[in-house]
Amino acid sequence: MAGKPKLHYFNGRGRMESIRWLLAAAGVEFEEKFIETPEDWDKLKNDGCLMFQQVPLVEMDGMKLVQTRAILNYIATKYNLYGKDIKERALIDMYTEGMADLNEMIIVLPLCPPDQKEAKIALIKERTTDRYLPAFEKVLKSHGQDYLVGNTLSRADIHLVELLYYVEELDPSLLANFPLLKALKTRISNLPTVKKFLQPGSPRKPPIDEKSLEQAKKIFRIK
Ligand SMILES: N[C@@H](CCC(=O)N[C@@H](CS)C(=O)NCC(=O)O)C(=O)O
């Protein structure tokens, strides 16, 4: 029997968090090997398993997978969270790419120079309420179903709910005008696997704090 997937990243959200969410939602237990020092990082790079000298790295099913999207695609396919045909998959990809665009703005926010932070946060809030959340609310309204695509749970629902938690952290009022998204968030959060992941003590990571940010900058030698 294949062992648990092994995730290599620093002990924070970053690009690995969506992978943690998807595995957890699929009910897959995983191990984590945290990169804690510049020496750990150099060692991982020198081991030769990072195709582009970047993490996330996920060891799974005998493969050493890099590139976040490729990893998510593999997990979603393996655990039947990627639609029943190519048309559903196209919709899931389209929705997921939109979510990834907003998520990327949120992921890089901690690295933003202090004098630009306020403007970046304002832009994220504007894009959230004027572009992304209305688009997903409209999808749910258009078919009246419980999930975004194909009336069944897919990665699109998982990624969206992950994103809704981040948006709420930024400003809880951002969700106020999106009743169907709020209902989706509640529904997905109550799935047993997701509920477990949302409990304290799970592998879910908190928002990055000053100390972890400094550690991550040191590891990746970011000025
Ligand atoms: N397209 C890649 C980007 C990965 C990436 O930028 N990883 C960062 C950490 S979040 C990294 O390894 N930085 C070190 C470097 O690029 O030298 C992916 O999505 O996996």
Side-chain angles (χ1 to χ4, degrees):
M1 205 176 72
K4 293 180 188 173
K6 190 166 175 186
L7 279 46
H8 299 259
Y9 202 66
F10 71 90
N11 187 3
R13 284 180 182 172
R15 291 188 160 74
M16 189 63 99
E17 194 67 354
S18 296
I19 296 170
R20 297 184 184 108
W21 264 87
L22 196 60
L23 283 169
V28 181
E29 287 186 13
F30 53 85
E31 291 170 10
E32 299 205 68
K33 175 88 178 81
F34 296 125
I35 304 162
E36 287 173 317
T37 62
E39 292 71 34
D40 289 346
W41 176 228
D42 289 338
K43 184 176 177 317
L44 190 61
K45 282 195 287 186
N46 292 335
D47 282 349
C49 48
L50 299 178
M51 188 171 185
F52 306 108
Q53 292 77 52
Q54 289 179 318
V55 283
L57 165 68
V58 174
E59 292 185 70
M60 188 172 181
D61 299 338
M63 296 181 287
K64 292 185 195 303
L65 296 171
V66 294
Q67 287 294 351
T68 315
R69 283 173 167 81
I71 297 167
L72 291 170
N73 293 347
Y74 180 74
I75 295 166
T77 307
K78 178 167 179 179
Y79 295 103
N80 296 320
L81 293 165
Y82 215 166
K84 68 171 178 339
D85 55 33
I86 55 168
K87 286 192 174 175
E88 284 193 1
R89 191 171 169 146
L91 290 182
I92 291 170
D93 283 340
M94 201 167 85
Y95 301 168
T96 297
E97 287 301 316
M99 294 165 202
D101 287 346
L102 180 58
N103 196 26
E104 182 69 20
M105 291 173 83
I106 297 174
I107 287 178
V108 299
L109 187 61
L111 295 171
C112 169
D115 61 328
Q116 295 170 24
K117 204 159 216 159
E118 215 176 298
K120 279 269 155 43
I121 292 174
L123 180 65
I124 293 173
K125 288 185 183 182
E126 187 198 309
R127 288 281 153 82
T128 298
T129 52
D130 295 5
R131 181 178 293 182
Y132 294 104
L133 298 196
F136 297 122
E137 182 84 4
K138 195 171 158 192
V139 170
L140 289 172
K141 198 169 180 185
S142 70
H143 55 44
Q145 295 164 353
D146 281 353
Y147 302 100
L148 283 166
V149 179
N151 208 10
T152 188
L153 180 71
S154 78
R155 63 180 292 189
D157 303 298
I158 312 295
H159 297 324
L160 181 55
V161 170
E162 178 193 353
L163 193 55
L164 294 178
Y165 275 95
Y166 301 154
V167 162
E168 255 192 340
E169 276 174 10
L170 212 57
D171 179 347
S173 76
L174 297 175
L175 258 64
N177 295 326
F178 304 99
L180 299 179
L181 294 181
K182 282 202 271 187
L184 180 81
K185 179 168 171 274
T186 305
R187 196 176 309 120
I188 302 296
S189 299
N190 280 319
L191 296 174
T193 52
V194 177
K195 199 169 186 170
K196 191 172 161 201
F197 188 61
L198 292 169
Q199 301 292 317
S202 87
R204 188 163 74 109
K205 304 293 177 267
I208 196 156
D209 58 17
E210 249 345 281
K211 199 170 151 232
S212 319
L213 179 64
E214 285 316 308
Q215 190 195 22
K217 280 181 167 175
K218 208 167 139 197
I219 293 166
F220 296 115
R221 299 182 174 92
I222 297 169
K223 295 273 181 294

